[in-house]
């Protein structure tokens, strides 16, 4: 008798990821800020613009203003972890995920990141 082949969930996910990677799905998106930095065309991106772009990408919003609140824009603890990782990657500052949740506005959070950067 022939045994029925059982597809385990982790095997299916692995196959789906391989197919998606082959099609270019899931590739890291480039943004105007990251493209300019990668091109090295002399256009230096300010820290404020980088932080704005990080929030914009994480929260999937069109724009981030100084008086915007992370939580009101749809932020939560998992997104705060992503923001933390992107800040570390982009400007080399180690922040806590709680800083996004604690700050009342983007401007307040940006000032907190700037204080961490000076340390």
């Amino acid at each position: 008798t022939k045994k029925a082949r059982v597809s385990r969930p982790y095997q299916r996910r692995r196959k789906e990821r391989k197919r998606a990677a082959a099609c270019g799905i899931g590739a890291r998106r480039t943004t105007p800020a990251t493209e300019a930095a990668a091109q090295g065309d002399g256009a230096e991106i300010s820290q404020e613009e980088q932080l704005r772009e990080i929030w914009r990408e994480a929260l999937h919003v069109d724009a981030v203003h100084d008086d915007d609140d992370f939580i009101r824009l749809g932020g939560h603890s998992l997104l705060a972890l992503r923001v933390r990782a992107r800040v570390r990657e982009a400007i080399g500052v180690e922040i806590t995920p709680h800083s996004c949740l604690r700050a009342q506005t983007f401007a307040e959070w940006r000032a907190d990141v700037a204080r961490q950067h000076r340390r």
Side-chain angles (χ1 to χ4, degrees), residues 6-110:
V6 178
S7 178
R8 294 185 174 90
Y10 67 88
Q11 290 173 328
R12 277 183 291 198
R13 285 191 300 266
R14 185 183 313 154
K15 288 178 185 177
E16 289 169 4
R17 280 194 306 266
K18 282 183 180 180
R19 270 191 235 117
C23 296
I25 299 171
R28 177 164 242 158
R29 285 186 324 167
T30 59
T31 61
T34 56
E35 279 182 9
Q39 290 174 357
D41 57 4
E44 190 63 33
I45 300 167
S46 74
Q47 180 177 334
E48 178 181 348
E49 290 173 10
Q50 287 179 324
L51 295 175
R52 246 181 241 286
E53 183 68 17
I54 290 169
W55 265 36
R56 194 189 66 71
E57 284 181 349
L59 297 167
H60 300 288
V61 294
D62 293 331
V64 174
H65 304 286
D66 283 342
D67 59 344
D68 284 340
D69 183 310
F70 187 76
I71 294 172
R72 286 200 178 129
L73 289 176
H76 49 76
S77 59
L78 294 177
L79 287 178
L81 287 169
R82 287 184 188 169
V83 167
R84 173 187 174 218
R86 292 280 293 129
V87 168
R88 184 180 342 130
E89 176 185 303
I91 60 176
V93 177
E94 191 67 43
I95 63 167
T96 63
H98 185 67
S99 69
C100 292
L101 304 171
R102 182 181 58 228
Q104 295 294 316
T105 63
F106 173 77
E108 187 179 316
W109 177 75
R110 186 184 67 225

